[in-house]
Amino acid sequence: MKQRYEGGCHCGKVRYAVSADLDRVIACNCTHCSIKGLLLVFVPRRDFRLLSGEDCLSEYLFNKKAIAHLFCRTCGVEPYAFGKDKMGDPMVAINVRTLDAVDTASLKTAPFDGLHLL
Ligand SMILES: [Zn+2]
């Protein structure tokens, strides 16, 4: 079920609000997700709003450079990434670990073999 959450980076400069369903949390094993320990949910761009910190973000691109991974220049945390779904519609990949007051250990995660599929 979709709920409204807020989240942000570790130092607090970057803050965002999102409407997301945490029933499907993706644990991807690609080189990037595994080194950062990302747990992801994908939401349409319209369900995401940056509240603060736009000028604190840097972008990291790799592989096909299809996803803009955004991280805080001060604390290094990646709260989210921008990409597109299969239809070409703008999506946001939320790093569930950066949501406020969410116990990630209690979430059911679905493995994704990004190491071989991406
Ligand atoms: Zn930060």
Side-chain angles (χ1 to χ4, degrees):
M1 196 180 68
K2 259 192 191 179
Q3 283 188 52
R4 185 182 187 278
Y5 297 93
E6 287 193 14
C9 67
H10 189 262
C11 74
K13 287 181 177 168
V14 179
R15 295 291 300 166
Y16 66 88
V18 67
S19 177
D21 180 349
L22 300 187
D23 287 345
R24 275 183 52 86
V25 176
I26 306 288
C28 173
N29 66 354
C30 82
T31 54
H32 180 262
C33 287
S34 57
I35 206 168
K36 285 189 174 171
L38 299 182
L39 291 176
L40 301 172
V41 287
F42 292 83
V43 302
R45 181 69 181 80
R46 63 179 174 276
D47 287 345
F48 172 87
R49 193 157 53 90
L50 186 62
L51 302 175
S52 67
E54 187 157 25
D55 54 343
C56 301
L57 288 160
S58 280
E59 184 184 82
Y60 177 62
L61 302 164
F62 75 107
N63 195 7
K64 293 170 190 165
K65 301 182 168 43
I67 301 175
H69 296 275
L70 295 158
F71 64 94
C72 172
R73 276 199 295 275
T74 299
C75 69
V77 167
E78 173 173 337
Y80 59 91
F82 286 134
K84 287 182 177 165
D85 68 11
K86 286 176 199 147
M87 310 297 289
D89 292 322
M91 297 285 290
V92 187
I94 302 293
N95 178 5
V96 174
R97 294 188 190 278
T98 66
L99 296 174
D100 296 346
V102 169
D103 175 16
T104 51
S106 71
L107 297 173
K108 263 187 261 166
T109 57
F112 179 74
D113 189 13
L115 183 61
H116 299 101
L117 295 174
L118 294 177

